[in-house]
Amino acid sequence: MKILLVFTGGTIGSTVSEGAIDTSGKAPFKLLHLFKQHTPAQQQPHFDTLQPLQVLSENLAPAAWQIIIDAIEKARPSQYDGIIVTHGTDTLAYTAAAISFYFHALKLPILLVSSNYPLDDERANGLENFICAVDFIRQQIATGVFVPYRNPQDSMQVHQGNRLACSLQLSGDFFSVQGQSAMQYENHAFSAFSARTSTAPDLIPLTASFSDRILMIKPYPGLDYRHTDLANVDAVLHDLYHSGTACASEQWGNQHSLIEFIKRCKQQHVDIYLAPAIHSPDAYQSTLTLLEHGAHMLWNLSIEAAYVKLSLAYGNFDDQQQIVDFIERDIAGEHLG
């Protein structure tokens, strides 16, 4: 078995020195050393290693996804049984979505592996996550992009890459959106596979170009849109409350109304999208009002997947209809049922 191992930094590639956690050139290979210590020689695959980045993931920008993708493509992925990308936890969900969308037609498993603590820490789950990734490839469970991750006091979960949500606040725990992971892993065995595949599996020609002109806005009580600068912005992705809503009232002043902000976006030729929201027969009146005023809802997508997909769409297409068609198309099983 032959695996391409792509190191990018993050906690799994870091050490602690004088109270500071930072990336280290030696830490990535410690992962391999630990794996070999815990794995019988006859079960150890051949690893080819790359290190296109060495960065804490909070410092990533969309340009970093292009570097990772270019490195994978130059390594001729078809010669491998699978690919493992080590990555930090802070932006793990975004990179998992980026790789998932770009490699939507690649018939290989790609797994992103992270650690909640540096590998020298006895609390670290990085080695367990890595062993799960290797077993996933060895057992040929599925093709596509996945993230194995064990939360403390929980069983190992394998998440579909474009359905992983960012870690919960004030914790390092990860969950799939709606709490539905693709499968569980225990004692080197995987539960029944439950990930969704694309309804349109044919290749969509793409370049690894992710626009940095997408502005994401988070709603909160009292959000004042007068402070939002639309210069150098092609599109706004407006996050929503859990019920798929945002302020559509002028009761406390029109500076707090998303409706007024939508009008401003239109005047400045900036597209505005809303997410996340589950499509259903009924919706709150505030949501319906926002749609009536021209906002475009990205139904059944997590906010992380929506942001990455918009970034890829605006990086690849100039025609508005092409952008809309790409965003609305389920290219990697990302749409929630």
Side-chain angles (χ1 to χ4, degrees):
M1 184 173 67
K2 192 176 179 182
I3 294 176
L4 177 64
L5 180 52
V6 184
F7 297 124
T8 70
T11 300
I12 197 168
S14 296
T15 57
V16 180
S17 177
E18 298 180 351
I21 301 172
D22 204 354
T23 56
S24 164
K26 296 180 181 179
F29 295 95
K30 181 176 181 63
L31 177 63
L32 280 177
H33 176 70
L34 291 172
F35 175 76
K36 290 177 179 179
Q37 284 185 327
H38 287 78
T39 307
Q42 66 272 21
Q43 296 181 16
Q44 294 180 14
H46 171 80
F47 292 103
D48 285 343
T49 62
L50 299 173
Q51 192 166 8
L53 287 174
Q54 186 177 322
V55 63
L56 294 172
S57 74
E58 63 267 29
N59 296 324
L60 291 183
W65 301 332
Q66 181 175 355
I67 293 172
I68 296 170
I69 289 168
D70 286 347
I72 291 173
E73 289 191 314
K74 288 177 182 177
R76 296 182 293 116
S78 60
Q79 67 177 309
Y80 295 97
D81 296 292
I83 300 167
I84 296 176
V85 179
T86 64
H87 198 280
T89 53
D90 282 345
T91 56
L92 176 62
Y94 293 98
T95 299
I99 293 177
S100 177
F101 291 137
Y102 183 80
F103 287 115
H104 63 276
L106 185 64
K107 301 305 180 185
L108 282 177
I110 303 177
L111 293 107
L112 282 79
V113 173
S114 296
S115 185
N116 52 352
Y117 294 97
L119 295 173
D120 285 328
D121 193 313
E122 62 181 13
R123 298 169 294 175
N125 61 11
L127 177 60
E128 295 173 80
N129 297 337
F130 185 76
I131 290 172
C132 177
V134 173
D135 276 351
F136 190 99
I137 296 170
R138 187 196 317 279
Q139 297 180 34
Q140 300 179 328
I141 299 299
T143 60
V145 177
F146 297 91
V147 180
Y149 197 89
R150 186 186 64 78
N151 295 330
Q153 314 304 319
D154 197 2
S155 59
M156 178 77 71
Q157 304 293 315
V158 180
H159 306 275
Q160 190 169 329
N162 50 40
R163 294 188 174 200
L164 181 68
C166 285
S167 177
L168 295 180
Q169 293 184 33
L170 304 179
S171 86
D173 291 355
F174 280 90
F175 297 91
S176 295
V177 288
Q178 297 186 318
Q180 299 175 359
S181 62
M183 67 197 79
Q184 294 185 16
Y185 169 83
E186 188 173 4
N187 296 325
H188 299 281
F190 294 87
S191 65
F193 180 70
S194 60
R196 281 191 68 249
T197 55
S198 171
T199 57
D202 53 307
L203 174 66
I204 301 173
L206 296 169
T207 63
S209 177
F210 296 87
S211 173
D212 59 0
R213 295 170 60 90
I214 310 298
L215 174 65
M216 186 158 66
I217 298 175
K218 183 178 179 63
Y220 56 87
L223 170 59
D224 189 334
Y225 292 100
R226 293 175 300 182
H227 304 315
T228 304
D229 185 2
L230 293 176
N232 301 311
V233 172
D234 290 330
V236 169
L237 174 61
H238 200 293
D239 195 0
L240 299 174
Y241 295 120
H242 79 93
S243 52
T245 60
C247 180
S249 169
E250 295 184 5
Q251 180 176 356
W252 315 108
N254 63 7
Q255 71 271 22
H256 301 302
S257 170
L258 179 51
I259 293 174
E260 289 302 310
F261 184 64
I262 291 170
K263 294 177 182 178
R264 183 175 146 210
C265 287
K266 282 185 173 182
Q267 292 170 354
Q268 299 189 35
H269 305 288
V270 173
D271 304 320
I272 183 162
Y273 300 86
L274 310 177
I278 293 293
H279 195 274
S280 65
D282 301 311
Y284 283 91
Q285 182 58 51
S286 54
T287 303
L288 296 175
T289 302
L290 297 175
L291 299 180
E292 289 168 0
H293 280 81
H296 188 94
M297 182 70 80
L298 302 183
W299 295 108
N300 302 343
L301 283 178
S302 71
I303 191 66
E304 296 88 353
Y307 172 77
V308 173
K309 202 171 185 184
L310 280 174
S311 179
L312 189 57
Y314 279 81
N316 275 266
F317 308 111
D318 295 321
D319 179 75
Q320 184 62 30
Q321 190 58 51
Q322 284 183 302
I323 291 172
V324 171
D325 289 345
F326 176 77
I327 293 169
E328 292 184 346
R329 189 175 183 182
D330 186 0
I331 66 170
E334 66 274 17
H335 288 172
L336 302 171

